[in-house]
Amino acid sequence: MEISIGISCPSCGGALNVEEGKKVISCRYCDALIWLEGDEGVYTVMFANNVTKEKAISLLNEWFGKKLKARDLKRRAEITEIFPIYLPFWRMKARSAGWVCGYREERHYDAVRKTTTVKKVPMEKMVFRDFDWTQIACDAGDIGVKYLRNLQGNTINANADQIPTFEVTTSKSDAINLGIEKIRQEAIKSAGVENITFQKMHVIPKSFMLIYYPVWIARYKYKERMYFATIDGVTSKVIAGRAPGDALYQAMIMTGGAILGGIISSLGIWTIGSSTGLGIFALIGGFIIFIASYMFFRHGSEIVEGDIEKKYGLPLESIKNIKNIRIDAPGNVFGGGKI
Amino acid sequence: MKVVQVKCPKCKNLFFSKTTDMAFICENCGTLHIREDEIKIFDYEFWKFSKNMEGEKFYMPFWKINVTINVKESKVVGLMKIANLLKGDTGKMDIYIPAIDCTPDDFRKWSNLLTFDKLNFEIEKTTKIPRIPLAIGEKEAEKLADFLVLTYEAEKPGVLQYIDYEMKINEKKIVYVPAYLINNKYVIGL
């Protein structure tokens, strides 16, 4: 995308359009090579919004009927406002080049499954890959979007001043430092070395940009309580939101969880005599199922989706949250939240 | 924002070109300079094409970095433990860093080819064959040289567990290596 920043060629005086972030350009009139310096400008990309208001309402209605939300939500929800807005995101693409050395522990068991030996298996892993990192560049409040999940779409030549946007509140230099550090951590983690004895990881930024991404924010009322949802303006997916849960589902999961947890725990107690390890494992498993179903029962009156702090959650969901930086690949989800 | 026309830091000749590049070679005095945080002059050379291939001819820039490596301490386990012999070793070597935007695979392939294979070449001072724009700056090249030194140590027999080494850069220059563009891929023409 080209943005005119209104400079004249120092050789012929011709007006030039400069692609933001470029350091060297060739004058289209006289071929003079021009060097630009001291500019803190960032290459900026704005995605086109593909979703109309009608489509956003229809997507929201579809979302009301999914997962464990209140069964009458579709019928009783009253949309109070729905509007499009552009959210700014920092995006860094960088190459990581380094080595991570260390070891993993290999446990050996005897016949009664007691650990007899712990063997250290040495590891040395090279990381030489490109990573992408994104993070929201503003304080968007609790709208459940912290990083970009999609980087495919049509861009538009538009000025952020002419379109409603959230203002960028984090500095470019802070974002660069944070991006480098997050990519370094992710690169080290990607080596998969459990116990690290040596590491050296260079992070070489390849590009850094600001992306304005369209989202629809919808607020709706259900039984006198306010909820919200966020719709991706490029992919037409509901990416985050809060919705009322359903009492029937809560009760069913509580009952089912208590029964299943109880059966597994009982089996565990019964097995302890013949196989202590397996018995204890089953006992703990049953207890976890019971606790998980209780947590859903207690907090499941509200269903949350997206990058919103959940009141309850299973261990698997926590693992998903930390895997939000991905190796560069077209069409992949990119992100840079918690590591 | 400061807008200046690029000129040779040595003879002050102004630059005109349709293509943009980080490395500027003066048509008047032949000086090559690179602009990053500051303007720096670097020595450079072109290697003559020695292979005749079908495809468009280009010159591909590489950083040639001469380094002195001093391995102070290393701990290697596993096969032969041969790398322990490196303790206290010091040596000089030339490392070649591809200076264009390329995939990690191409980076390693070209870097290894020039660093380890003794390729025969002749030097020519000037050429009309187009150059692929240099995209890897000096600082980036230094980081990649350090990574490659570590790679050469890690890839020796045994499993590296710890290493303390020092890499001193003695000399940096840019070499333009002949390349053919065949089916959208560059092939070294030596």
Side-chain angles (χ1 to χ4, degrees), chain A residues 29-45:
Chain A
Y29 304 107
C30 69
D31 292 345
L33 280 183
I34 297 154
W35 182 255
L36 309 167
E37 59 187 35
D39 183 21
E40 288 301 308
V42 181
Y43 182 58
T44 306
V45 168

Side-chain angles (χ1 to χ4, degrees), chain B residues 37-92:
Chain B
D37 296 338
E38 54 182 322
I39 296 170
K40 270 193 177 178
I41 294 173
F42 288 97
D43 196 10
Y44 69 100
E45 63 195 25
F46 290 94
W47 293 1
K48 275 186 183 168
F49 280 81
S50 61
K51 267 186 190 170
N52 271 326
M53 300 168 94
E54 280 193 12
E56 207 177 337
K57 282 180 171 179
F58 282 96
Y59 268 110
M60 187 189 288
F62 280 76
W63 284 94
K64 180 184 174 186
I65 302 184
N66 183 268
V67 295
T68 302
I69 304 151
N70 178 18
V71 180
K72 294 174 187 171
E73 194 185 345
S74 74
K75 188 184 170 199
V76 177
V77 295
L79 283 172
M80 294 161 72
K81 300 191 176 181
I82 200 166
N84 278 336
L85 297 173
L86 288 167
K87 198 179 278 184
D89 243 11
T90 303
K92 269 189 174 187

Side-chain angles (χ1 to χ4, degrees), chain B:
Chain B
M1 180 168 59
K2 197 174 161 192
V3 182
V4 290
Q5 187 175 356
V6 178
K7 65 181 174 185
C8 175
K10 203 168 178 185
C11 72
K12 310 298 176 199
N13 183 44
L14 294 168
F15 280 72
F16 294 89
S17 171
K18 284 200 189 301
T19 54
T20 55
D21 193 342
M22 267 175 82
F24 304 96
I25 298 179
C26 177
E27 283 182 354
N28 185 44
C29 67
T31 302
L32 182 150
H33 79 271
I34 289 179
R35 289 164 180 254
E36 286 186 272
D37 296 338
E38 54 182 322
I39 296 170
K40 270 193 177 178
I41 294 173
F42 288 97
D43 196 10
Y44 69 100
E45 63 195 25
F46 290 94
W47 293 1
K48 275 186 183 168
F49 280 81
S50 61
K51 267 186 190 170
N52 271 326
M53 300 168 94
E54 280 193 12
E56 207 177 337
K57 282 180 171 179
F58 282 96
Y59 268 110
M60 187 189 288
F62 280 76
W63 284 94
K64 180 184 174 186
I65 302 184
N66 183 268
V67 295
T68 302
I69 304 151
N70 178 18
V71 180
K72 294 174 187 171
E73 194 185 345
S74 74
K75 188 184 170 199
V76 177
V77 295
L79 283 172
M80 294 161 72
K81 300 191 176 181
I82 200 166
N84 278 336
L85 297 173
L86 288 167
K87 198 179 278 184
D89 243 11
T90 303
K92 269 189 174 187
M93 70 185 296
D94 285 327
I95 296 173
Y96 289 85
I97 313 283
I100 67 167
D101 267 330
C102 58
T103 62
D105 284 347
D106 283 341
F107 176 89
R108 288 212 64 195
K109 185 180 75 185
W110 290 330
S111 174
N112 284 348
L113 178 74
L114 268 71
T115 304
F116 295 112
D117 292 6
K118 298 290 171 208
L119 299 173
N120 291 320
F121 60 87
E122 287 177 57
I123 292 172
E124 60 184 339
K125 194 62 198 167
T126 58
T127 175
K128 293 281 179 200
I129 295 169
R131 292 177 283 136
I132 304 170
L134 180 137
I136 305 284
E138 185 193 9
K139 285 177 193 161
E140 200 174 326
E142 285 178 10
K143 284 182 186 173
L144 289 168
D146 183 63
F147 162 69
L148 287 172
V149 165
L150 190 53
T151 301
Y152 304 144
E153 292 299 325
E155 286 182 345
K156 286 175 180 172
V159 185
L160 184 68
Q161 292 292 279
Y162 176 76
I163 188 164
D164 180 12
Y165 68 99
E166 207 170 50
M167 186 189 84
K168 188 182 153 212
I169 294 173
N170 306 313
E171 197 188 357
K172 276 173 276 188
K173 75 191 292 188
I174 292 165
V175 294
Y176 282 97
V177 176
Y180 287 94
L181 182 63
I182 304 167
N183 297 329
N184 282 328
K185 283 200 161 188
Y186 289 107
V187 179
I188 301 290
L190 285 172

Side-chain angles (χ1 to χ4, degrees), chain A residues 19 23 77 82 105 120 131 158 166 170 217 271 305 315 325:
Chain A
E19 199 175 299
K23 289 274 186 179
I82 184 160
E105 286 181 348
K120 283 184 180 178
F131 287 85
F166 273 66
T170 47
I217 295 175
T271 317
E305 288 176 33
I325 288 186

